[in-house]
Amino acid sequence: MILTQLEEFRQAIYDCLGKAKDAVFELMDAVLTSPSIQSFVSLSQSPVFRRQWPNIYAALHDSRPQKRKLMNLLIEEVKTEAQPFLAGDHTFWPRPDAKTLKERTFHGERGVGVGVGQSYSTLAWIPEADGSWALPLRHERITSFETPTSKAVFQLKLVTRELGVRPLAAYDRGYGNAKFVQATEDIDVDLLLRLASNRCVWGIPDAYKGRGAPCKHGHKFKLNAPETWPVARETLEVEDPKIGRVQVMRWSGFHFLQSPNRAMEIIRVEVIKPVGRNRKFQPLWLAWLGQTMPALEDLWHKYLRRFALEHWYRFAKLT
C-alpha cells in the first residue's frame, strides 16, 4: 500500500516537470541518493543518472516545472485532522566567488560581517510533535526586488489558499514586527511570532474623553523593562522533562505601534530551574494572533517545533 502511494506520488511529480522531464527526474534521484554533492559532474556519475553529464545542464536549462501543481501535490500530503503547523524563515547562501552569478545581494549579520550571495525563503510543514522532520512546501530565492517579509507573505498566502484548513504558522523574530503583521491581515492563518527582547508593544487606549483625536495606543509595555509590565492575565508553571521547570506568562490586548488594529497575546517563557547544572536559557518572548488560541501550556511547545526547519537548512547546505 505504501509502495503504491509512493509510486503514484513520484508519477505525479514526474508529470509536472515540463520539458526534459526524464533527465530532470533522474537528476532528482541522483541528488536524493548521493551521500554528498561535490559538483554536477559527480551527480552525472550516479548510477541512477543514465545519461551523459552534459544532459544535466541541458535539462536544467530546458525544464519549466509547473510550480503551482508541484506545490499542490505537496500540500495534499499535509494532514488536516488537527490544525497544521507551518514554519517559515529565510537563509543566506554565500557566493563570494561566483562573480557572474546574477542578482547577488549583500547580507549582514551581527558578529559575522557582510557577505555577498543569494537568500532563500522557505515555508515548511512540521508534521510531528517531536523529531526533526520539516517538509518544505515552498522554497524560493529572494530576488533583489523582494524582501524576506514580502516573500514570506506571498508564500503564506499561496499555501493557506490551497490548504482548506486554517493553519498555525510560526516565524522567528525577524518577522515579529508591525510590517509582517499588517501584511498578513487578510490571510486565513494564525500566527506565532518570536519577539526581540528589546521590543515595545502598546495596550488598549483609555476611553475617549471627547476632546481631540481618539488615542490609538494605551500603556507602553517594554519587554526588557519589568517596571513597565502590567499584571499578567495568566501565569502557570510546568515541568518539562527535557528543559526543566518553566514559567509561562500571558498578557492580552497589545499591539505594535504601526499596527493598532491587530491585537496580540504576548507570552513570556522563562526556564526557572533547567535540567543540568550548566544550562542557561534567555527568556523567550512570543506573540500570538488568530481566532482560537491553543492552551498556554501547549503554545510555547509548538514554537519550539519551529527549529525543525533549522535542521532542514543544515541538511540542505551541508549535504
Side-chain angles (χ1 to χ4, degrees):
M1 182 65 180
I2 296 179
L3 182 59
T4 301
Q5 292 178 347
L6 178 60
E7 291 176 347
E8 293 175 352
F9 180 74
R10 284 171 58 85
Q11 181 63 46
I13 294 290
Y14 172 82
D15 293 337
C16 295
L17 293 180
K19 296 180 180 179
K21 60 179 63 177
D22 292 312
V24 173
F25 197 75
E26 290 185 3
L27 178 60
M28 290 168 54
D29 281 342
V31 170
L32 292 173
T33 57
S34 298
S36 62
I37 301 172
Q38 303 297 329
S39 63
F40 281 151
V41 176
S42 66
L43 286 176
S44 69
Q45 296 172 343
S46 172
V48 298
F49 192 80
R50 298 170 293 180
R51 289 161 172 77
Q52 296 180 348
W53 72 267
N55 290 91
I56 291 181
Y57 298 94
L60 293 176
H61 182 269
D62 296 337
S63 177
R64 295 293 183 270
Q66 302 175 48
K67 292 191 292 184
R68 181 64 66 86
K69 289 186 177 180
L70 286 170
M71 181 192 72
N72 291 342
L73 286 173
L74 297 175
I75 291 177
E76 289 176 4
E77 304 300 317
V78 176
K79 298 177 181 178
T80 56
E81 291 81 5
Q83 186 180 38
F85 182 65
L86 308 178
D89 204 353
H90 68 279
T91 187
F92 177 69
W93 192 291
R95 301 294 300 276
D97 299 324
K99 297 183 178 180
T100 60
L101 185 66
K102 294 182 178 180
E103 288 205 330
R104 290 192 304 171
T105 56
F106 291 101
H107 179 82
E109 290 186 6
R110 182 178 298 177
V112 179
V114 178
V116 60
Q118 294 178 336
S119 295
Y120 292 82
S121 180
T122 309
L123 182 62
W125 171 45
I126 311 299
E128 300 171 344
D130 197 9
S132 57
W133 282 105
L135 306 179
L137 304 175
R138 304 281 303 192
H139 177 70
E140 300 164 287
R141 183 169 61 84
I142 303 173
T143 68
S144 60
F145 299 96
E146 298 171 312
T147 64
T149 296
S150 65
K151 196 68 172 183
V153 172
F154 171 74
Q155 292 177 328
L156 191 60
K157 185 177 297 185
L158 287 181
V159 170
T160 54
R161 187 182 299 166
E162 301 296 335
L163 261 180
V165 177
R166 186 181 180 94
L168 173 63
Y171 287 87
D172 204 358
R173 60 184 177 183
Y175 302 87
N177 52 61
K179 188 174 183 180
F180 184 73
V181 167
Q182 285 290 81
T184 55
E185 183 176 8
D186 298 328
I187 302 178
D188 190 24
V189 62
D190 294 345
L191 293 177
L192 184 59
L193 311 175
R194 184 177 180 180
L195 303 180
S197 60
N198 61 348
R199 187 166 290 281
C200 297
V201 292
W202 278 259
I204 300 173
D206 297 331
Y208 182 54
K209 298 180 180 180
R211 298 182 62 185
C215 294
K216 295 182 179 180
H217 315 293
H219 175 73
K220 182 179 179 180
F221 182 3
K222 191 173 183 180
L223 305 186
N224 61 357
E227 64 274 10
T228 67
W229 298 357
V231 178
R233 179 173 180 177
E234 183 179 359
T235 302
L236 60 87
E237 291 187 7
V238 295
E239 196 72 35
D240 187 275
K242 296 182 179 180
I243 300 176
R245 179 170 291 277
V246 180
Q247 183 188 67
V248 187
M249 306 173 68
R250 176 171 72 97
W251 294 267
S252 299
F254 285 87
H255 59 264
F256 292 121
L257 187 66
Q258 290 81 19
S259 57
N261 58 318
R262 299 212 69 189
M264 305 181 295
E265 302 289 319
I266 305 299
I267 301 162
R268 183 179 187 268
V269 183
E270 182 181 10
V271 180
I272 301 175
K273 188 177 180 181
V275 175
R277 295 182 178 179
N278 299 322
R279 303 182 71 186
K280 293 183 179 179
F281 298 91
Q282 294 295 325
L284 175 68
W285 289 93
L286 303 172
W288 179 87
L289 306 87
Q291 293 182 348
T292 305
M293 182 178 173
L296 191 59
E297 58 267 25
D298 299 328
L299 189 60
W300 69 277
H301 257 298
K302 287 183 178 292
Y303 182 81
L304 297 184
R305 293 295 302 125
R306 192 205 71 83
F307 291 99
L309 186 58
E310 304 296 338
H311 295 291
W312 184 83
Y313 276 145
R314 183 175 178 84
F315 170 79
K317 288 184 176 182
L318 298 185
T319 305

